[in-house]
């Protein structure tokens, strides 16, 4: 029981070294710096998200239609090659140039 009384802080005095340490100028400045870092990080994440949104929508609007059109063109070329081989004519890319 005597050991328990020693561990409790005396009434009316500072709570001890932890309270003194937490109120020191270095700790206060460290907390302020940590809050500023957190604010800057939050703004950076928010702006990065906006940039990702802009890049994603730009890709969808400009690049995806181009990819789809290139795929259609490749399919049409393949179909023309198949039709030319069925009809017995050489494919347009291998045909000799017309005489002048």
């Amino acid at each position: 029981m005597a050991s328990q009384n020693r561990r409790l802080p005396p009434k009316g005095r500072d709570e001890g070294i932890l309270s003194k340490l937490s109120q020191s100028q270095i700790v206060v400045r460290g907390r302020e710096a940590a809050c500023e870092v957190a604010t800057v990080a939050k703004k950076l994440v928010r702006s990065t998200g906006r940039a990702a949104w802009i890049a994603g929508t730009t890709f969808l609007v400009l690049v995806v239609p181009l990819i789809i059109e290139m795929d259609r063109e490749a399919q049409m070329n393949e179909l023309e090659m198949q039709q030319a081989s069925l009809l017995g004519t050489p494919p347009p890319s291998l045909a000799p140039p017309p005489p002048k």
Side-chain angles (χ1 to χ4, degrees):
M1 186 138 184
S3 64
Q4 287 179 353
N5 288 338
R6 285 187 212 149
R7 291 183 187 166
L8 296 175
K11 294 181 181 178
R13 292 173 129 191
D14 274 345
E15 293 179 13
I17 194 163
L18 289 178
S19 66
K20 289 179 184 178
L21 197 66
S22 66
Q23 294 171 359
S24 73
Q25 195 66 15
I26 294 172
V27 173
V28 171
R29 286 185 183 173
R31 283 185 188 158
E32 290 173 356
C35 288
E36 289 176 12
V37 167
T39 303
V40 169
K42 186 186 247 185
K43 288 180 182 179
L44 180 65
V45 167
R46 191 175 297 150
S47 65
T48 303
R50 287 180 185 156
W53 173 258
I54 290 170
T57 53
T58 302
F59 180 78
L60 286 175
V61 169
L62 298 177
V63 178
V64 170
L66 177 65
I67 292 171
I68 291 170
E69 188 59 34
M70 289 172 61
D71 188 45
R72 282 184 187 166
E73 183 69 26
Q75 288 177 354
M76 287 298 295
N77 287 340
E78 186 178 327
L79 182 64
E80 287 176 2
M81 295 283 280
Q82 286 176 356
Q83 287 178 349
S85 67
L86 288 175
L87 295 174
T89 59
S93 61
L94 299 176
K100 292 183 182 182

